[in-house]
Amino acid sequence: MGLERNSSGQHVENDKPKEQFVQSVFESIATKYDLMNDILSFRRHKVWRKFAMARMDMKPGETAIDVCCGTCDWTLSLAEASGSGGIVGLDFSPAMLEVGRNKVKSHQRDDSITLIEGNAMSLPFEDNKFDYATIGFGLRNVPDLVQVLHEMKRVVKPGGMVVCLELSKPTWQPFKGIYYFYFQKILPSLGKLFASRYEQYKWLPVSLALFPGRDELAEIFQQVGLQHVEAYPLTGGISALHIGIKES
C-alpha cells in the first residue's frame, strides 16, 4: 500500500516538482516502508500479491521485469516462481533499492535477481525481452501512466503479460465512507506515529484521488493495445489487479 514511486512534472506542496517530492518521500521512508505497508493495509498487500501471482500462473524459467520494485517484495515472488536468473527489479530510489538489495540477499536470491536504478518512463531494455512486466503500487505517481504501460508492453514478448497491482477506489457504501475516512484522517497519523512522517502520508490520499478507477484503468490498458484485459477488485475495491496480454 504505502507511498508509491516515480516522478512527474506536476507540482505539489510548496511548489516542489512532484518528481523531487516523490523521490524525497521514498528516500526518507525506505527503512520504514515495509512496516508501514503492513500497518496501513492490515497486511492485505501480501494477499493481493499472492492473488496476482496465482492469476499470472508464472512457469519455471520464465522472465520478468518488476517496474517500481521498491523493497522487492513482488520481485522476490517472481524469482521464487521462476527459479531462474531472468528477474529484474527497477526503481528510481537508491534508498528503496538498498533495502530491497538486503532483502534479496537475506532470501539468497542474488543469483536470480538483478536490481537496477532506472526510469519507468524509459526502460533500459530492448523490445520483446521479458515474459512478464509487473508494477506494484507504483503506477499512480509516474509522470505519464500511458507511457509507462507502453514501455512495459514494449519490453514483454509477444503473448507476454503486463500486470498492475494498485490501490483503487471502493464504490459501495458504507464501506466506501469508512475507507475514505481511514485513508484521509487516520492514515497520516499512523504515518507520523510509526514512521515519523506525517506530510508524506497525508499526500497519499491526494495521489489516489487523481488516479483512474478500476474500470477507467482497464480502458487505458486496452487503449495502449493490450488484449484480453482483466480487472479484479480486491478487498472491497480498495485495491485492484489489472492484467493485459501483448498481441502475439
Side-chain angles (χ1 to χ4, degrees):
M1 195 171 178
L3 295 163
E4 272 50 65
R5 286 160 296 291
N6 266 0
S7 53
S8 173
Q10 298 175 4
H11 288 70
V12 291
E13 302 171 5
N14 302 320
D15 290 327
K16 290 180 68 177
K18 188 176 178 182
E19 176 175 4
Q20 296 176 16
F21 177 73
V22 175
Q23 189 167 30
S24 70
V25 164
F26 287 100
E27 290 294 291
S28 67
I29 70 168
T31 58
K32 297 289 187 179
Y33 181 82
D34 290 338
L35 171 64
M36 290 305 299
N37 271 1
D38 285 346
I39 293 171
L40 300 179
S41 72
F42 304 102
R43 296 179 68 87
R44 296 305 295 173
H45 69 99
K46 298 177 183 291
V47 176
W48 300 335
R49 190 163 49 251
K50 185 176 181 179
F51 177 80
M53 290 300 298
R55 299 305 305 176
M56 290 165 61
D57 192 25
M58 192 175 191
K59 300 295 191 295
E62 290 187 320
T63 60
I65 179 170
D66 187 21
V67 180
C68 302
C69 66
T71 59
C72 296
D73 280 344
W74 202 349
T75 322
L76 284 163
S77 295
L78 295 166
E80 181 179 351
S82 172
S84 74
I87 307 301
V88 173
L90 178 142
D91 201 279
F92 83 151
S93 168
M96 295 286 281
L97 282 173
E98 184 61 26
V99 175
R101 190 170 290 110
N102 291 333
K103 193 182 297 184
V104 168
K105 289 180 180 178
S106 70
H107 285 76
Q108 298 182 333
R109 290 288 180 182
D110 308 64
D111 59 342
S112 57
I113 293 174
T114 301
L115 297 181
I116 297 174
E117 184 179 343
N119 186 353
M121 293 283 290
S122 181
L123 299 176
F125 295 98
E126 67 270 24
D127 297 356
N128 308 321
K129 181 175 177 62
F130 301 98
D131 295 299
Y132 298 87
T134 63
I135 185 166
F137 310 112
L139 192 61
R140 279 199 331 279
N141 299 297
V142 297
D144 183 340
L145 67 88
V146 173
Q147 171 65 16
V148 171
L149 290 174
H150 272 298
E151 278 292 280
M152 293 173 70
K153 176 190 169 190
R154 179 183 65 78
V155 300
V156 297
K157 302 172 184 177
M161 188 178 291
V162 173
V163 187
C164 173
L165 185 59
E166 184 56 272
L167 295 182
S168 192
K169 302 172 182 179
T171 57
W172 54 275
Q173 295 287 13
F175 180 74
K176 177 180 178 181
I178 296 171
Y179 171 73
Y180 278 111
F181 177 80
Y182 167 77
F183 209 52
Q184 296 171 357
K185 303 298 183 181
I186 305 300
L187 184 149
S189 297
L190 292 176
K192 181 178 180 179
L193 176 64
F194 290 99
S196 301
R197 294 291 186 272
Y198 179 79
E199 291 300 326
Q200 288 88 339
Y201 283 89
K202 183 179 179 182
W203 167 72
L204 177 57
V206 176
S207 69
L208 179 61
L210 301 174
F211 191 70
R214 184 178 72 251
D215 292 339
E216 295 172 290
L217 187 56
E219 291 179 3
I220 294 172
F221 264 57
Q222 294 170 344
Q223 290 168 8
V224 302
L226 292 165
Q227 300 183 339
H228 309 293
V229 175
E230 300 175 345
Y232 301 91
L234 304 172
T235 312
I238 67 174
S239 181
L241 172 68
H242 288 77
I243 296 175
I245 307 296
K246 181 174 179 176
E247 183 179 4
S248 299

